[in-house]
Amino acid sequence: MKIMITGFDPFGGEAVNPAYEAIRLLPDEIGGAQIVKMEVPTVFGKAGEVLKAGIREHQPDAVICVGQAGGRSGMSVEKVAINFQDARIADNEGNQPIDQVIEADGQTAYFATVPVKAMVANMRANGIPAFVSYTAGTFVCNELMYALLYLLDRSYPHIRGGFIHVPFAMEQTVDKPNGTPAMQLSAIAKGLEYSILAVIENQEDISLAMGTTH
């Protein structure tokens, strides 16, 4: 088995992006699966093109994209990507789409095809704060997740795909307001590793209440 995992470069004035920094800490093999690591640009459109080229080159069995969600307190496995972009800030090349669709002929939304709840459960069982998220935002993270699931639906139905948002790394919060959530990069990397193991071990997701009330 081969699993491709991607992380974004730094954006929004940050010196690092914990998504790719944690990916760099992963071993090259997890649970018998080969791990292919890729960095993608925080740029609308370009991130999806780099992802598409990576899938074409490596032909993985599953793809997990990872992004930073500063302000979240744990690892959040995304359930859904929406066909919508509305950028509060500009991307790394100054693009700032507002109220635009991602793919004119795409579905309104796509659900992740990796075992989202199993990934969360495995992280929690190993001491990593984690939860299911039902919004990937409207920035490049959501666009990439949507681009991935759109591509898999159209061209690679045998490949499973999903997205994980990670908190700030500890060093990113030194000058941020008191109480800003953060995790050690080593813990983020462990969370990714447990998530990958869940993908390897679960072809179908588990049935467990992980919904929200708001």
Side-chain angles (χ1 to χ4, degrees), residues 41-125:
T42 309
V43 179
F44 285 101
K46 285 190 177 180
E49 289 303 314
V50 172
L51 176 71
K52 185 186 297 185
I55 291 173
R56 189 164 52 241
E57 177 184 354
H58 297 289
Q59 296 292 312
D61 298 287
V63 180
I64 300 172
C65 300
V66 185
Q68 169 192 291
R72 296 192 188 184
S73 59
M75 308 283 286
S76 48
V77 185
E78 300 295 344
K79 178 67 176 178
V80 61
I82 59 173
N83 192 6
F84 184 70
Q85 45 194 356
D86 192 22
R88 181 179 58 82
I89 61 173
D91 68 14
N92 284 352
E93 291 189 356
N95 305 300
Q96 193 172 1
I98 297 173
D99 294 334
Q100 295 183 19
V101 298
I102 299 168
E103 295 288 353
D105 63 344
Q107 300 293 325
T108 300
Y110 289 104
F111 287 120
T113 52
V114 292
V116 171
K117 291 182 176 181
M119 294 160 74
V120 171
N122 201 34
M123 284 191 278
R124 289 179 177 175

